[in-house]
Amino acid sequence: MSKKRMDQIEQRIARIKEALGQIGPMRPGSLTRQYRNPKERVGAYWQISYTRQMKSHTEYVRSEWQPDIRKQITTYKRFTRLIEQWIDLSIEHSKLRMQIAKQERSG
């Protein structure tokens, strides 16, 4: 059973690597619409905020770039989900490998 699960994990990791190879432009953050006068909702503009290397960043985004930036943020979220899955699978794979080695020594 454990060797079968290891094969499944290895196949899933291979699919994750393939998906990561196809990822395009990305950037972290959240894109929000802000207003120069929030009470009256006047003077709208787009702003991206993110933290990178323990530093907070905020940038203005032109309206025409808003769809592209939103797509890059979505791509970044997909990237981080794939990386997290890879890490979880790698941990499980390592534990199974040690468990199988232990069984082979004692069996």
Side-chain angles (χ1 to χ4, degrees), residues 4 17 20 33 54-55 64 82 86 96 100-101 105:
K4 181 179 178 183
K17 287 178 182 180
L20 286 170
R33 185 174 214 146
M54 297 176 49
K55 291 183 182 177
E64 62 265 21
L82 288 169
W86 187 357
L96 284 171
I100 290 170
R105 278 192 306 244

Side-chain angles (χ1 to χ4, degrees), residues 1-12 15 89 92-93 96-97 99-100 103-104:
M1 175 66 183
S2 295
K3 289 190 181 194
K4 181 179 178 183
R5 178 63 183 145
M6 283 182 64
D7 289 341
Q8 291 172 342
I9 291 170
E10 289 167 3
Q11 289 172 1
R12 178 63 184 133
R15 288 194 304 270
L89 290 166
E92 184 180 353
H93 187 273
L96 284 171
R97 195 176 58 190
Q99 181 183 12
I100 290 170
Q103 289 172 354
E104 289 174 352

Side-chain angles (χ1 to χ4, degrees), residues 73-90:
I73 292 169
T74 300
T75 302
Y76 180 78
K77 288 178 182 178
R78 181 169 185 261
F79 169 80
T80 56
R81 280 193 311 271
L82 288 169
I83 293 297
E84 289 299 318
Q85 288 175 17
W86 187 357
I87 291 168
D88 292 342
L89 290 166
S90 293

Side-chain angles (χ1 to χ4, degrees), residues 46-63:
W46 290 97
Q47 177 178 300
I48 185 169
S49 301
Y50 61 96
T51 302
R52 179 85 177 125
Q53 297 177 341
M54 297 176 49
K55 291 183 182 177
S56 179
H57 302 270
T58 301
E59 301 170 15
Y60 293 108
V61 175
R62 290 179 172 257
S63 293

